[in-house]
Amino acid sequence: MIKLEKALNIVMNSAITLEEESVPLQEACGRVLYRDVSSDIDMPPFNKSAMDGYACRSEDIDRPLKVIETIPAGYTPQKTVGDGECSKIMTGGIVLEGVDCVVMVEHTEIKDDLVIVNKKSSDRNICYKAEDIHKGDGVLQKGTLLTPAEIAVLSSVGCDPVPVSRKPVLGIIATGSELVEPSQKPQSAQIRNSNGYQLYSHVEQAGCKPVYLGIIGDSPEAIGSAIDQNISNVDIFLLSGGVSMGEFDYVPGVLQEKGFKLLFQKVAIKPGKPTVFGKIDNKFVFGMPGNPVSTFILFEMLVKPFCYKLMGADYSHTKVTAKLAETIKRIKSERLSFIPVVVNNNGEINLIKYHGSAHIHALTKANGILSIPVGVNEIKAGENVQALLIK
Ligand code: AMP
Ligand code: MG
């Protein structure tokens, strides 16, 4: 049995780099940038008015000003503002040399066709050429996870299509002779396959491509042939169930038979101990115990960082430190325990009803996961603890 940090190291050190592909800007959100991107223009590209108002020389604002031109956004001004003059300008309009301020329209009135400034302000209301970015400046680095802010930047520097890493393809297999699909009513001794769909949605949310490969009964032949049939189409297999010590837990044996090198088979975490990670050439497999909370934790702790690494990004969870609202005690402490919690706005971490690794419903009430370190049997109410956010 190895510690989680060690397991994560093994997983991350096994990662390969996936190839580059090009996607249109509309499809780039959630993807990882494959190359550094620099700007092909200054931003702003010209001195630009930040307000609707009057562009003039600041030394003139005590005088009535004559309007010589109207400058909408998208128009190139034709006239130079001189002594006692101004141009009516809209937000985004070009501010020409010689003009050093834009007086907000709200601070003016018109008298006898002349502009009177009736409220003085020290604001220049000009966005200066290249004040955000100079032409040729790097704007985003390879490995950046693209969110709407980065999409806006890519758009403004003309980066369309966008060079991103290919999405890893994850083939999802739910093993277990007791499983039926969610659309079916479970009969005696059956349960619905929730892991298949939980994993599918995790994979999608992580910006990767899930392929649902169905339910496979607890038979080494059936598991083996599912691997054979799909290995050429996936980068990673995610198998749920069949990795523990039970008589019908065939997954690790089948993986070895198929040539996978198993890099670990037990991790000191609760839930999720009998987790298997294996590799053959550039293909990988995670075999996870079937209880749905184990699946959830393992995806967060191992699969997700691995997927991002394949795409060239560093993933780290958002963590918060807050006071624990009530004391937690446990008898055994040889594993790192994960429990669902609620991180409140008032800076407290509350425990919720949680019956163990089959109790996936608890995760719908939680917004965080608290870990209790190896060797710790008690954390007292009021102590500061760290939770990672899952919502
Ligand atoms: P296993 O890891 O195969 O020993 O399964 C552990 C527990 O998880 C058993 O109670 C299984 O019935 C349950 N389980 C296994 N696979 C799934 C699944 N795909 N969806 C929900 N529960 C599952
Ligand atoms: Mg099973």
Side-chain angles (χ1 to χ4, degrees), residues 174-175 178-179 191-195 240-242 244 249 289-292:
T175 75
E178 75 279 32
L179 300 177
I191 62 156
R192 287 194 172 108
N193 166 26
S194 71
N195 288 345
S240 113
S244 312
D249 289 335
N291 271 316

Side-chain angles (χ1 to χ4, degrees), residues 323-343:
K323 282 195 184 354
L324 190 62
E326 49 185 297
T327 298
I328 304 175
K329 286 186 181 173
R330 60 172 180 165
I331 296 160
K332 291 190 191 163
S333 66
E334 66 268 25
R335 287 190 273 161
L336 173 68
S337 272
F338 292 103
I339 52 170
V341 291
V342 173
V343 182

